[in-house]
DNA sequence: AGTCCATATTGGTCTTACCAATTTGCCGCG
DNA sequence: CGCGGCAAATTGGTAAGACCAATATGGACT
């Protein structure tokens, strides 16, 4: 972690916390350098990073705060990490979005899979079916399965979105205690539902199974966050 | 446009063009400074920006190129602008993604709209219905309508994704000649389809209208790009 | 009260310098 | 010939100082 990343992190969080109003001017680079006990170069690198998050607009005369609504999606992770517990509403929006992305991937992938790919997917699902009890080992298999679908769907735009969100989200949610865990019956339904869809080349079937899975997931996580 | 942004743009495009293999080392900051006739500070700021795109990994010892698959979605715009004409496949993936995002927004927004919002939406649709002939003036109304839905759906994650993609995509596609334009009948079907959905509180109806609209759009754009 | 201009401030850029970590390349050993 | 190990060169990280052009500020003047 370099000095400029540290500084960027602090300033980013302050902006996300709303400590500056949109349109307001950020302290000058020289003032920030003094505040952080760093060189102006380090501060400039930090500001350059925050500018890429589209949280500020740097111009001769000063850097001005922008609306969070116009920011890059890269602020979502830091936004989750602001409090000691992630914001329940934002987490639900994340999961809802994941749900839509998974549905997208499934409906685009299934109609174009080859026989070999189908065999591969079925094998992965069978491996998952043997593992319903331990969420810890099912999770990575689920991710691998969705990644396979993602490769088949072959949409770079959605792939980058999914990767980005996943990276920001998973990392922050793994810290939760206690980790919510779905009932084996639900997982069983998910796996068998997807299996049926893959077998029949029914993308909508796979998507539907994912939909209900994400719905239960959202309910569960909401409950976990409420109690935390 | 500052020097560091210029340099970052050049290096970014070179990486996106595949002029470096993943894992390969980028020239040192001092060499790059010499190449661009700039100071090391300017180059460092540029590299810091490229690092935020997740195109490189900066470490003591050197900056190493990463896989484009792991990059930020902020590379999609530059990726569209690499050639004289945007890549048709990537454009289609963009539109497909827009389609899914619009569907998401519609299905989430419609069930939770208030009477006042419904009135507003219907008014917007009526204004659009009077304007089917000129694509130039319909386009912004369509965007405003989707933005209204977006505000109602109230999902920050999807909003940021949509904003981001839109900003990157629209800007690059406006340069196309000739600009593709849908037949008035199709637009008529879109507007009336959405109107029916809004009236009946039928999110799936609105989404379906959007689906068919984006399908025609994709066919049209593919044709335009093939001829360009 | 409004306008205009001099001044101070701010970002943009370059130079030079030093440190710590990594990489490189050479040497000697097995 | 290969391989381990050590020293030197290279590389990124950071700092301090300086100058310019564009912007913002404040005061003088009308």
């Amino acid at each position: 972690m370099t000095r400029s990343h540290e500084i960027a992190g602090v300033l980013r969080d302050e902006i996300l916390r709303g400590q500056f109003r949109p349109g307001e001017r950020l302290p000058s680079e020289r003032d920030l350098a003094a505040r952080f006990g760093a060189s102006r170069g380090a501060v400039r690198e930090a500001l350059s990073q925050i500018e890429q998050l589209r949280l500020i607009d740097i111009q001769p005369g000063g850097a001005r705060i922008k609306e969070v609504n116009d920011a890059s999606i890269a602020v979502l992770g830091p936004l989750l990490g602001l409090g000691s517990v992630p914001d329940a509403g934002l987490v639900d929006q994340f999961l809802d979005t994941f749900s839509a992305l998974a549905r997208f991937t499934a409906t685009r992938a299934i109609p174009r899979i080859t026989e070999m790919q189908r065999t591969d997917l079925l094998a992965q699902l069978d491996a998952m079916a043997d593992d319903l009890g331990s969420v810890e080992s099912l999770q990575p298999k689920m991710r691998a399965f969705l990644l396979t679908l993602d490769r088949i769907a072959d949409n770079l735009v959605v792939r980058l979105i999914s990767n980005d969100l996943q990276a920001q989200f998973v990392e922050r949610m793994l810290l939760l205690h206690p980790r919510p865990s779905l009932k084996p019956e639900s997982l069983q339904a998910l796996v068998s539902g997807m299996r049926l869809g893959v077998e029949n080349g029914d993308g909508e079937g796979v998507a539907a199974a994912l939909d209900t899975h994400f719905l239960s997931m959202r309910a569960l996580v909401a409950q976990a966050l409420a109690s935390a």
Side-chain angles (χ1 to χ4, degrees), chain A:
Chain A
M1 178 66 73
T2 70
R3 199 83 185 81
S4 70
H5 285 95
E6 281 179 40
I7 298 173
V10 172
L11 290 176
R12 155 173 53 68
D13 286 349
E14 288 183 355
I15 296 174
L16 289 178
R17 263 186 248 275
Q19 298 186 12
F20 302 91
R21 277 173 241 169
E24 191 176 340
R25 268 188 31 193
L26 213 58
S28 74
E29 296 176 352
R30 290 167 178 85
D31 287 350
L32 290 173
R35 167 183 164 193
F36 287 104
S39 72
R40 227 187 110 201
V43 170
R44 276 188 63 78
E45 286 178 22
L47 290 183
S48 167
Q49 291 164 28
I50 298 180
E51 185 187 36
Q52 282 221 304
L53 296 179
R54 268 170 287 146
L55 285 174
I56 62 174
D57 227 0
I58 305 182
Q59 279 176 359
R64 297 203 123 82
I65 273 70
K66 297 176 62 176
E67 302 274 356
V68 176
N69 267 345
D70 297 330
S72 151
I73 70 171
V75 306
L76 291 172
L79 217 43
L80 276 179
L82 279 190
S84 59
V85 173
D87 178 74
L90 187 55
V91 168
D92 193 60
Q93 292 172 24
F94 254 98
L95 290 172
D96 199 11
T97 309
F98 281 136
S99 158
L101 290 173
R103 157 173 280 277
F104 177 97
T105 304
T107 55
R108 264 64 172 182
I110 298 295
R112 47 148 61 199
I113 71 179
T114 65
E115 259 324 302
M116 207 163 60
Q117 289 168 334
R118 186 194 310 274
T119 309
D120 176 26
L121 288 174
L122 291 177
Q124 290 190 39
L125 286 170
D126 288 341
M128 289 166 69
D130 294 339
D131 221 350
L132 295 180
S134 85
V135 186
E136 308 298 329
S137 67
L138 185 62
Q139 176 84 8
K141 289 181 182 172
M142 179 71 183
R143 286 189 62 179
F145 178 78
L146 289 175
L147 213 86
T148 307
L149 282 184
D150 188 81
R151 271 213 320 274
I152 299 173
D154 194 31
N155 183 311
L156 182 63
V157 180
V158 167
R159 176 177 307 147
L160 294 188
I161 295 173
S162 298
N163 280 350
D164 204 315
L165 292 184
Q166 199 107 37
Q168 295 192 59
F169 183 79
V170 174
E171 149 193 351
R172 313 255 173 189
M173 293 303 287
L174 286 183
L175 313 169
L176 260 191
H177 295 290
R179 288 265 278 296
S181 103
L182 285 166
K183 280 180 290 198
E185 305 93 82
S186 311
L187 296 174
Q188 161 72 32
L190 167 67
V191 173
S192 61
M194 291 198 298
R195 194 186 153 85
L196 206 63
V198 172
E199 270 180 340
N200 302 335
D202 174 18
E204 181 55 40
V206 177
L210 284 165
D211 279 348
T212 61
H213 169 252
F214 273 103
L215 275 178
S216 350
M217 187 77 115
R218 286 167 65 188
L220 202 67
V221 170
Q223 185 183 339
L225 285 177
S227 75

